């Protein structure tokens, strides 16, 4: 009988152990023992809000730096030279200077957009019969080229470059352009001016050296232009005989080099 009671007691204790192990071992490991804080398991924190707050602070710092050291607008007035390649370059004699003005609006330290106008003069001489002027060559032809444009500039980050490069404010630029060309027949007053326009684009770069920081600069800009001139494929000046004087067409691209005086504010 005693032996049976002992067996029942052991069976009862084993049942309690399996049913309530935490109580049996009296919480062998507490929260403090394993280093868990309430903040660590709190669901009230927002990592996205914390991240956005850091971004906002960085943006404010960048804006403050731009307002202190950046430019908002610049007005550029300049002189330069416009030349051509291909048959147009062979035919034309350039009459410098090229005149130019433009206004730039700065978005930040690196990006600006601009509107501008440039004008150049050229001439060529046809004193022998050609396809359109077999009996009476036109003689001197004066060419005026007026172009308006919308431009974008990217000022290169020079923070980690040498002092000389940083001082020069280098930039890359691209432009959408409209070229209006006027051909005036100086020696043939009875001939009407030949006028027309064509769309084009320009690609190049430039430098701006400060005279007074944030106020005035000397700028240099070099551009390549591809233009659909209205007389690009004209046959008027084509030779009437093989090997004769004239130009099969007036194809060719343009290059311009400008020096600007820049006022900024």
């Amino acid at each position: 009988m005693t032996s049976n009671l002992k067996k029942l007691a052991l069976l009862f204790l084993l049942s309690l152990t399996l049913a309530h192990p935490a109580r049996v071992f009296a919480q062998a490991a507490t929260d403090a023992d394993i280093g868990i804080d309430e903040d660590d398991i709190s669901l009230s924190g927002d990592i996205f809000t914390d991240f956005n707050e850091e971004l906002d602070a960085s943006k404010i710092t960048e804006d403050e730096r731009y307002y202190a050291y950046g430019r908002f607008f610049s007005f550029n007035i300049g002189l330069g030279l416009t030349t051509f390649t291909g048959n147009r370059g062979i035919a034309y004699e350039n009459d410098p200077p090229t005149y130019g003005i433009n206004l730039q609006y700065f978005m930040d330290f690196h990006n600006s957009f601009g509107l501008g106008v440039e004008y150049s003069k050229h001439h060529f001489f046809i004193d022998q019969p050609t396809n359109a002027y077999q009996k009476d060559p036109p003689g001197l032809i004066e060419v005026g080229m007026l172009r308006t444009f919308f431009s974008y500039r990217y000022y290169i980050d020079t923070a980690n470059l040498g002092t000389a490069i940083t001082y020069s404010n280098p930039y890359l630029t691209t432009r959408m352009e409209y070229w209006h060309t006027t051909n005036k027949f100086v020696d043939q007053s009875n001939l009407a001016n030949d006028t027309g326009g064509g769309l084009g684009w320009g690609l190049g770069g430039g430098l701006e050296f400060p005279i007074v920081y944030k106020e005035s600069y000397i700028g240099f800009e070099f551009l390549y232009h591809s233009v659909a001139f209205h007389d690009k494929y004209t046959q008027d000046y084509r030779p009437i005989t093989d090997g004769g004087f004239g130009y099969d067409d007036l194809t060719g691209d343009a290059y311009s080099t400008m020096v600007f005086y820049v006022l900024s504010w």
Side-chain angles (χ1 to χ4, degrees), residues 80-122:
L81 176 67
T82 302
T83 61
F84 298 89
T85 64
N87 284 340
R88 192 177 294 268
I90 296 172
Y92 281 10
E93 294 291 335
N94 304 308
D95 300 323
T98 295
Y99 303 93
I101 58 172
N102 67 78
L103 178 68
Q104 297 288 326
Y105 169 69
F106 289 83
M107 303 290 291
D108 50 37
F109 282 113
H110 302 296
N111 302 282
S112 74
F113 295 92
L115 291 172
V117 179
E118 291 177 356
Y119 179 76
S120 63
K121 292 189 68 175
H122 317 269

Side-chain angles (χ1 to χ4, degrees), residues 2 13 18-19 22 25 42 44 57 60 77 79 121 136 143 152 172-173 208 215 228-229 264:
T2 303
L13 291 174
L18 294 175
F25 294 106
S42 173
S44 61
I60 291 172
I77 182 168
L79 301 173
K121 292 189 68 175
D136 193 6
V143 182
Y152 166 74
L172 302 175
T173 184
E208 290 181 338
E215 295 183 8
F229 294 108
S264 298

